[in-house]
Amino acid sequence: MGKDIEVGGEFSAKDYHDPPPAPLIDAEELTQWSLYRAIIAEFIATLLFLYITVLTVIGYKSQTDTTKNSDGCGGVGILGIAWAFGGMIFVLVYCTAGISGGHINPAVTFGLFLARKVSLVRAILYMVAQCLGAICGCGLVKAFQKSYYTNYGGGANELATGFSKGTGLGAEIIGTFVLVYTVFSATDPKRNARDSHVPVLAPLPIGFAVFMVHLATIPITGTGINPARSFGAAVIYNKDKAWDDHWIFWVGPFIGAAIAALYHQYVLRAAAVKALGSFRSSSNI
């Protein structure tokens, strides 16, 4: 059920329907209110995401500051930080999926663009909205708790001492691959048809992917896997250390997203094989 069956070089009818590929540039899209509503949703969602998660990071650092607290093991810990990031993604994707798709991450948008799920126009506007939302979210944190924000790093991503740039880049690539691969799998129409007896709440595995990746990579890079999250925190904190290795938090996620898109579309979904089969069929007519 829900499987493509290859017969004589052709694929038989299937019990699911892939949406048509998004056009590269869709000028008409700019005249539709639904686009701007989606952009607003991405802006607000990313703002809320950064506000809650950066507050959690700063709160943890202040609670474990041994110069002010005798209990160096207090606070939510790395586990709590990971839950904050994963939980907020679950909540926000659930709230915005029906409006904008619930990307909240330029790397996710980039991966979906490569897979022709969104147009170039929408992808660019989403990324701009996400970065602006991240800046505003961090700005709110700084406005409410300026001294804590400045003293405890502003939630900015930094390469941890003892790790090379290559290690940090690799961690970001693999972490983003896990996230974007999960996004593709959780929203795959073929999966929904094949496993229709098992209801799939897409935001849940996506949130868990973010949670698990944070557990693994917080000790290395603080976990970026979201260029908007890293950019917003760096802009508002604006200290040299936040910018020193900032390129890692753009290059790594974009490479990881591209690999995940290619793997899902051309290996798991066999897009290249299907295209070759269609070409052979048409050439025999």
Side-chain angles (χ1 to χ4, degrees), residues 44-58 85 88 92 133-145 149 229:
I44 296 297
T46 314
L47 183 155
L48 294 174
F49 177 60
L50 268 293
Y51 175 73
I52 296 296
T53 54
V54 170
L55 269 179
T56 303
V57 172
I58 292 174
F85 278 88
M88 278 305 291
L92 294 171
I135 292 171
C136 292
C138 291
L140 282 177
V141 176
K142 185 174 182 178
F144 293 154
Q145 298 190 11
Y149 188 90
R229 174 262 186 272

Side-chain angles (χ1 to χ4, degrees), residues 145-273:
Q145 298 190 11
K146 186 173 182 179
S147 60
Y148 282 96
Y149 188 90
T150 304
N151 293 337
Y152 297 109
N157 287 121
E158 300 170 357
L159 185 63
T161 304
F163 292 98
S164 67
K165 288 177 170 50
T167 300
L169 180 63
E172 289 295 308
I173 291 173
I174 296 171
T176 311
F177 174 86
V178 171
L179 170 59
V180 178
Y181 174 40
T182 303
V183 169
F184 275 106
S185 298
T187 59
D188 190 342
K190 180 177 180 180
R191 177 189 183 92
N192 293 336
R194 184 183 64 229
D195 300 331
S196 57
H197 61 288
V198 181
V200 177
L201 182 62
L204 186 59
I206 295 171
F208 261 106
V210 172
F211 167 68
M212 297 303 295
V213 170
H214 273 75
L215 286 181
T217 58
I218 282 177
I220 304 173
T221 61
T223 308
I225 69 171
N226 184 335
R229 174 262 186 272
S230 303
F231 181 68
V235 167
I236 299 300
Y237 185 57
N238 199 29
K239 297 291 178 68
D240 288 342
K241 192 172 182 181
W243 291 111
D244 286 344
D245 302 309
H246 186 69
W247 65 271
I248 290 174
F249 303 103
W250 283 89
V251 175
F254 272 53
I255 292 176
I259 296 172
L262 293 173
Y263 173 63
H264 185 269
Q265 293 297 107
Y266 291 96
V267 177
L268 299 186
R269 292 299 303 272
V273 175

Side-chain angles (χ1 to χ4, degrees), residues 35-102:
L35 171 64
Y36 299 100
R37 181 181 62 182
I39 292 170
I40 294 170
E42 287 292 311
F43 171 82
I44 296 297
T46 314
L47 183 155
L48 294 174
F49 177 60
L50 268 293
Y51 175 73
I52 296 296
T53 54
V54 170
L55 269 179
T56 303
V57 172
I58 292 174
Y60 164 69
K61 289 186 176 181
S62 67
Q63 291 167 338
T64 55
D65 185 351
T66 55
T67 63
K68 294 184 178 181
N69 301 293
S70 58
D71 184 10
C73 297
V76 297
I78 290 179
L79 184 63
I81 293 173
W83 271 121
F85 278 88
M88 278 305 291
I89 287 296
F90 168 72
V91 170
L92 294 171
V93 171
Y94 181 83
C95 291
T96 60
I99 301 170
S100 65

